[in-house]
Amino acid sequence: MDMDKARELLENVKYGDVSIEQALEDLRDLPFKDLGYAKIDNHRELRVGYPEVIYCESKTPEQIKGIVEFMLAKGSNILGTRASEQAYKLVKEICPKAEYNKEARTITIKNKEAETTSTYIAIVTAGTSDIPVAEEAAITAEIFGNRVERIYDVGVAGIHRLFDKIEIIREAKIIIVAAGMEGALASVLGGLVDKPVIAVPTSVGYGANFGGLSALLCMLNSCASGISVVNIDNGFGAGYLASMINKL
Amino acid sequence: MDMDKARELLENVKYGDVSIEQALEDLRDLPFKDLGYAKIDNHRELRVGYPEVIYCESKTPEQIKGIVEFMLAKGSNILGTRASEQAYKLVKEICPKAEYNKEARTITIKNKEAETTSTYIAIVTAGTSDIPVAEEAAITAEIFGNRVERIYDVGVAGIHRLFDKIEIIREAKIIIVAAGMEGALASVLGGLVDKPVIAVPTSVGYGANFGGLSALLCMLNSCASGISVVNIDNGFGAGYLASMINKL
Amino acid sequence: MDMDKARELLENVKYGDVSIEQALEDLRDLPFKDLGYAKIDNHRELRVGYPEVIYCESKTPEQIKGIVEFMLAKGSNILGTRASEQAYKLVKEICPKAEYNKEARTITIKNKEAETTSTYIAIVTAGTSDIPVAEEAAITAEIFGNRVERIYDVGVAGIHRLFDKIEIIREAKIIIVAAGMEGALASVLGGLVDKPVIAVPTSVGYGANFGGLSALLCMLNSCASGISVVNIDNGFGAGYLASMINKL
Amino acid sequence: MDMDKARELLENVKYGDVSIEQALEDLRDLPFKDLGYAKIDNHRELRVGYPEVIYCESKTPEQIKGIVEFMLAKGSNILGTRASEQAYKLVKEICPKAEYNKEARTITIKNKEAETTSTYIAIVTAGTSDIPVAEEAAITAEIFGNRVERIYDVGVAGIHRLFDKIEIIREAKIIIVAAGMEGALASVLGGLVDKPVIAVPTSVGYGANFGGLSALLCMLNSCASGISVVNIDNGFGAGYLASMINKL
Amino acid sequence: MDMDKARELLENVKYGDVSIEQALEDLRDLPFKDLGYAKIDNHRELRVGYPEVIYCESKTPEQIKGIVEFMLAKGSNILGTRASEQAYKLVKEICPKAEYNKEARTITIKNKEAETTSTYIAIVTAGTSDIPVAEEAAITAEIFGNRVERIYDVGVAGIHRLFDKIEIIREAKIIIVAAGMEGALASVLGGLVDKPVIAVPTSVGYGANFGGLSALLCMLNSCASGISVVNIDNGFGAGYLASMINKL
Amino acid sequence: MDMDKARELLENVKYGDVSIEQALEDLRDLPFKDLGYAKIDNHRELRVGYPEVIYCESKTPEQIKGIVEFMLAKGSNILGTRASEQAYKLVKEICPKAEYNKEARTITIKNKEAETTSTYIAIVTAGTSDIPVAEEAAITAEIFGNRVERIYDVGVAGIHRLFDKIEIIREAKIIIVAAGMEGALASVLGGLVDKPVIAVPTSVGYGANFGGLSALLCMLNSCASGISVVNIDNGFGAGYLASMINKL
Amino acid sequence: MDMDKARELLENVKYGDVSIEQALEDLRDLPFKDLGYAKIDNHRELRVGYPEVIYCESKTPEQIKGIVEFMLAKGSNILGTRASEQAYKLVKEICPKAEYNKEARTITIKNKEAETTSTYIAIVTAGTSDIPVAEEAAITAEIFGNRVERIYDVGVAGIHRLFDKIEIIREAKIIIVAAGMEGALASVLGGLVDKPVIAVPTSVGYGANFGGLSALLCMLNSCASGISVVNIDNGFGAGYLASMINKL
Amino acid sequence: MDMDKARELLENVKYGDVSIEQALEDLRDLPFKDLGYAKIDNHRELRVGYPEVIYCESKTPEQIKGIVEFMLAKGSNILGTRASEQAYKLVKEICPKAEYNKEARTITIKNKEAETTSTYIAIVTAGTSDIPVAEEAAITAEIFGNRVERIYDVGVAGIHRLFDKIEIIREAKIIIVAAGMEGALASVLGGLVDKPVIAVPTSVGYGANFGGLSALLCMLNSCASGISVVNIDNGFGAGYLASMINKL
């Protein structure tokens, strides 16, 4: 439609129905969206084939079902994060191949098989309680077409566990570390590897962890280089960013 | 030396001077560092040619001079961050080609020309007050051998300035955003580009910015994907990480 | 009544029943409210016709019903904010035309049609999760007699959505922005329009948003001019203030 | 220039040198800034005649002098905020009519007399220590062409002082309140007037005022309606916003 | 028993069975508690007749019942604070005259009529939501034998309400102010009266009140003199302290 | 003067020069201050003879000198708090009997000898570093006519020091406790005495004392009854309130 | 297995199947864990006989049961902390001798009787509400083989209670203090004893205790020497550390 | 003197001048300090030979000199912490053997050689910037008669440095860890050793370290057992406590 307006304008110029001065004026008045929108957003074109993502936290199961229904029509893969089991059940009704990961609280629908990267993302957790956040990252990375290696429960309180797995971590292209409590694993790993580390503080802990603040501050102040941080419990954000870097 | 001990042990085994059981026992007792050290650190080998970095904040000018003296012997490039002009003057005495960037407060010594990447890192600031932090990032990235494009003073209060430069930002391999006050530029950029964004909150501002807390929280809570955050005013960290990703 | 006392006093002076000294004494002793009250409060006269407002948060449904009952007698329009559905049901019993907005959690009773302003208030949200707060603002503004335009889900992560609607926002007399997470929309809008912007941080988000603190600090530190901030989730306050300004 | 490109394109269409399809393609590729820029920013045209503002906090006196020099050429009025006396002296060298307000730390240069509004902005402070912030607001409002009434030192500890001045405050079109310590004056005023109140928390106080946090939180949580808040010590922001509203 | 030991020692001295030096030595060894205890605590004797107080928050209904049972034997008046209705029901079983105040969440048992003071404590609230805290203070003060005057819902948003009641507040010997949100009432009252003011911040409010922090900071930073502050929602503490002062 | 206006009005009524209706109107229009002012402020009459207080923190030495000059004319006693030695020197020029307490940073001028109370205020500090705050309280209390007993350096780390002085503390009418670091002395004293305790947290300490926050929170959460708290380092406030209570 | 690889290597060296140079190379390549692991962890050997500990907070009852089942096979004593009663019931099914402490929320299984130390750990609480945390510490210390003395409810509000028990506390080898609210007991005890004090802040309290922050800061800032602090409510950590010190 | 009173009492009993009942009464009335003081403090007797400690932070050089002078008379060793060089110079005048450690800011005077323990305290730092705090701990421990091993600059960013020194750390009786920034070293060490770890967060760092808060929270939330924490930068406290434990 917008393009139609532009075309009409050009035709009018071509056939002399509109003076150039007038056309310039009109061009300036063309609703911003008509040209600008496409322009601004054309980087999004590159993302074609990307899965659609639904952040389910504050949506009702019915709303989620509705959004999925709409997306299914487009045939893309779908990822729902922070989804309740109840929401999953509703989605399942309209899409039997939908899968639910209870720990990560994700709904995934794979409509087409994405090619998987040869390089991989290592996803590392300090404890078992950090696994839900790590799984959210892992499932995100996977549905975006990345190979993922999970290395869980290798926190610094028993550092040999980490050394035992260090080779597989070092060979990753990028590393995600999910850790709660004092979040020291990010710093230790940062010193052991020569790859970018995305640190995800988790809210695991109690008392003076203040809902993940301790791990967050720890990671931001890491004395090791090559570490950056996402929001507390933001497994999706870490997985998405890691995917972006893994595909560079 | 450590390898000498191991060699001696093996020779003793070979010539029967030590039983296999005893050798196993000895092997277990070999000081950790002797083997483990090399092992743990061998990823550092890959870093050969990396510039040496000195964090000058809490060191006296004399200490900095001493460290530089030691490093010069190794012939590597040198980067001193958070350096006072006074420290620079002392360094200059022993190394006339040392350069000082007053804004970024960096000392740089280029002993050998590093090859520069063809892909580049875009370094973007919201305001002019964020430039010192951005320059620390830029100088870091450059001495690590990266091509850098500086896009300064394109904050969201006049968003057309950002759009004016959006093409050069989009074509970067990775983007650093330094912003103080409300730090909104990171989110806006995150929605406009399809590249990893490293956000550096700066302490620029006053009152309820609480020394950079406002920008830090803003960036951590960004609704755009593909953004991660480093410590407040940590230009070096952003530059180092960007270099790592740019070279992937 | 108070005026009656004053009149009586003056009559007594006039007819010599009370000496001037005594009257001066009495005047000083007239209960503060009798004169002062009216004086202080006479600006409230201007508000005649204003809807009555009930903040329902910490009141029982029974208390709310009682207050509504009392207000109905005065014939004014009524707005109940932060009202539970249960409270609404009780109110409905005594006032069948009461309406409930589930999202905004408001009860509204329109006893007389207020004239609506020709200028309008634009109410903008960053995401869909900010809509309840925005709706509280919208319903407040409407029952105070303002024309309202809702522009929802135009957050900075996809800034073209905002540009698409920028004309309608620019033509408003005043703009309310409700945004959670990093709250960057307020700054971006502040740079795009030449109208006062009332920013409402919402508690939408998780982790380091600390219950809305991130959006609050972001908005307070905005580098754009013309922005002021109300309490986290305070849709009512924003709507009320916008109404006040819209009617200037 | 940008318009030149567009004109050239249209001429090419007109004379058949370029097909319409090709022109559509080119149009889409016209650098964003070329059209969009003007579009986005054309609301700024309305601001013609506005004084230029320089935030001097993190700029050197030399930089400030340079910026003033550039602005003088355009003939607009100029306002420098958070300016040191040293900066003023340098500016004075190139512009003898520059004035400095020591308390407010502002540099003002009036090149043309702006028309002054008939309605006025009341600027109220709780104590004498809040005056510097209030003066920044007042001088800002004045150079933007507003009539200002100053009502200083009427804090709640001696509330009769406020009542004594209440009439002049009530007749303002909009009110700015600057208060530190507990910042209660904003709430009290909010209950006494029927006008929008812009509250500026100041950092005046000590101990548990935590650099202005106490006044900030107090004002954000005000139980009176019609109040919004700007950053701690942000006199400029309050003056700018008040000017915007005063001119509605 | 302890006294017995001391007596025995003195008898031994008297009859020469123990030398004075030895007795001095023994005296030094007498268990601390034996003398010290009584000494330290003898100020508590003055409190005879004081009601017994039970802080019920973290106790089970059964525990509370048990403690009441024990206290009843001593015949004193009893005050249970932060008590659930369930706890009250259990207490009622063993003490039919126990009374429960649902708002204040107090259990009171009056076994003997305490004399009531002629001077009174004024208990003032800003809003109706602050009444539960005020009632805890009032009931505490009453069971400790004080006359109490309740002046509720006179917050600063409608300051005439306060002036209307100012005389009764001024004639109190001491004043308690309970206020949430911005807590400005304490400052205003502090400026209007010449009596000690005990300010109780309440957790009433939302968003940036951060659980009562806003009112707490406001009250601590009050610019009026004669105000001191107790913990958030600590009605009991305010009532107890006011009773202490009222009886001076 | 104000009374003169009222008298004139009444005379006009008496002699029929003004109708009652008109007089009612005028009465309503009498400037608020004229009647209300006196009314509101008449509690201040009781304070006649009170020393005048100057909070010197944010005033220049010249301003302070000016204020003192003005006050001297009234003949009252004068207390300047948070005064620099420089300010004192200027004051000394115009008032040779002015005295300066270097520790407490107070200027005192005694123009007339106030009667001293027979009951006394005990002022207790935990350490020697808390003495400046305590002295501010003591000097305040003394110039307001109170007998003061100083009991310094009796902190809980060596609790026998406290017990050694407990009798003199117990016999006070009211007790001020100034303590930094963990501020535990307030709680301990609160349990040992049956008198109101005003706790003044001081900013003494380092690290996690966060400028006095540790002592402030400690005192607010005291498990002992009868304690209330003023702002960090607010010796004046404690002394003023104690004086008020001591004179009840 | 790892040792098998090492043995094979040595045999190959011994019998000349592998050159020493090659063996050195291989040795360097032996997976880190094979040698390093044992080395790093051999301090754990010393811990043989230590009970196994399960932190149950974020584990399902089924997971806990599974872990216990696995541990039972090893015959060690087992301690489950922060366990729900439901988890206990499941554990009880497979291990009838399992015991549950409702207050401390611990599951304990004693498979072999550990020798108990002759020296003891004194565990002291300020109030009865701190007992659950203290019991977690006590049960931890006991299952690790320590003699424990419990001294509960001796807070500073009635300090004679503490003195009454001071002898038994002084004779301990190490002391744990659990206290909420203002946490002053740690400081007082620290001044009375000459033994290490482990302070456990508890979350007991309300309002400005901010979930235990007040007690935490108080304890960290203690003016008494010999005190160190663990996380809020971390009874296990205190018990474990005390056991470690008690056995030195 | 106190003992004199007691002796006189006993003599009066012995010679029948006072009845036993009367003596019991008198005994009860003996000022608390007279007996109780000695009693409470007699644990301090054990400390005879302990160095005297002066916290110099808020004392003038003259005051420090005076205190040292007084202490010298008693012949004990002396430790002054947080001392300026200026204070040292004054002390040096009266005590030529006084020594000053510029980094640790300690003054030490050794009047008698204390016996040194055979077991030792390992003092470990993450970086070189943490050394001043570590030295304060080391010098404290040494003057209290402990053998100390310093292991500096072994932070987790290059963990092999730590492993290189792990044996000497493991053989200590107790370990002090001083670390700023993210403070992760404490957790890592806690997992590698089986000895008590005293963690000292330092204020080293910038930005989101918030004056040491990041390291403090990290250490409090450590997932390793056997760790306790002292105040930020509290080297003295750590050294004192370690000495206490080392001598158990």
Side-chain angles (χ1 to χ4, degrees), chain G residues 19 21 30 54 58 63 87-88 95 104-105 112 131 136-137 159-160 190 193 199 202 205 215 217 220 237 240 244:
Chain G
S19 74
E21 288 316 307
L30 260 186
I54 313 164
S58 53
Q63 288 176 315
Y88 167 63
C95 177
R105 296 175 57 223
K112 44 189 176 195
I131 292 179
E136 193 188 78
I159 209 166
H160 59 279
V193 301
T202 73
L217 292 185
L220 283 168
Y240 184 92
M244 213 179 234

Side-chain angles (χ1 to χ4, degrees), chain H residues 121-140:
Chain H
I121 300 166
I123 303 186
V124 186
T125 76
T128 54
S129 310
D130 304 312
I131 293 179
V133 173
E135 276 300 305
E136 193 187 79
I139 287 165
T140 299

Side-chain angles (χ1 to χ4, degrees), chain E residues 7 10-11 20-21 32, chain H residues 7 10-11 13 20-21 40:
Chain E
R7 183 190 307 274
L10 291 173
E11 285 173 351
I20 282 173
E21 288 316 308
F32 186 85
Chain H
R7 182 190 307 273
L10 290 174
E11 285 173 351
V13 167
I20 281 174
E21 288 316 308
I40 291 175

Side-chain angles (χ1 to χ4, degrees), chain B:
Chain B
M1 186 177 75
D2 307 332
M3 277 302 115
D4 289 350
K5 277 191 195 164
R7 181 190 307 274
E8 188 187 327
L9 180 69
L10 289 173
E11 285 174 351
N12 285 342
V13 167
K14 183 177 173 115
Y15 302 115
D17 294 346
V18 160
S19 73
I20 282 174
E21 288 315 308
Q22 179 59 43
L24 273 171
E25 203 60 42
D26 290 358
L27 217 50
R28 187 195 289 266
D29 286 347
L30 260 187
F32 186 86
K33 57 177 175 172
D34 295 350
L35 294 172
Y37 178 130
K39 178 96 202 203
I40 291 176
D41 214 24
N42 65 8
H43 75 279
R44 299 231 153 207
E45 308 295 295
L46 305 169
R47 292 188 188 162
V48 166
Y50 265 36
E52 305 272 355
V53 182
I54 313 165
Y55 175 66
C56 302
E57 184 87 2
S58 53
K59 300 191 178 70
T60 64
E62 288 71 22
Q63 289 176 316
I64 294 164
K65 183 185 168 184
I67 297 170
V68 168
E69 205 155 24
F70 177 82
M71 286 174 170
L72 280 175
K74 295 200 276 176
S76 26
N77 290 339
I78 297 172
L79 169 65
T81 61
R82 304 197 168 224
S84 65
E85 203 157 358
Q86 193 187 356
Y88 166 63
K89 281 176 188 159
L90 275 190
V91 166
K92 186 88 177 173
E93 288 176 13
I94 56 167
C95 178
K97 67 177 153 183
E99 288 176 18
Y100 187 65
N101 183 309
K102 210 170 170 175
E103 250 183 341
R105 295 176 58 221
T106 51
I107 298 170
T108 42
I109 301 176
K110 284 194 192 148
N111 282 308
K112 44 189 176 195
E113 215 44 57
E115 205 179 342
T116 296
T117 57
S118 58
T119 55
Y120 62 85
I121 300 166
I123 303 187
V124 185
T125 76
T128 55
S129 309
D130 304 311
I131 293 178
V133 173
E135 275 299 306
E136 193 187 78
I139 288 166
T140 299
E142 285 171 345
I143 204 163
F144 277 83
N146 297 276
R147 189 181 141 208
V148 166
E149 293 291 336
R150 291 160 168 84
I151 303 102
Y152 289 169
D153 197 18
V154 295
V156 300
I159 209 166
H160 58 280
R161 297 178 301 178
L162 176 63
F163 289 145
D164 210 26
K165 303 285 189 187
I166 197 67
E167 292 312 322
I168 198 168
I169 300 175
R170 275 191 185 147
E171 279 158 29
K173 187 158 174 196
I174 175 153
I175 299 155
I176 293 172
V177 181
M181 299 174 99
E182 87 281 54
L185 181 57
S187 291
V188 172
L189 250 185
L192 288 173
V193 301
D194 202 27
K195 300 290 165 51
V197 173
I198 302 172
V200 195
T202 74
S203 53
V204 168
Y206 60 90
N209 84 328
F210 297 124
L213 182 65
S214 56
L216 172 63
L217 292 185
C218 178
M219 288 164 168
L220 283 169
N221 285 284
S222 178
C223 52
S225 300
I227 299 177
S228 62
V229 187
V230 297
N231 195 3
I232 297 164
D233 291 335
N234 189 4
F236 167 75
Y240 184 93
L241 175 58
S243 167
M244 214 179 233
I245 295 174
N246 189 32
K247 292 179 171 177
L248 281 181

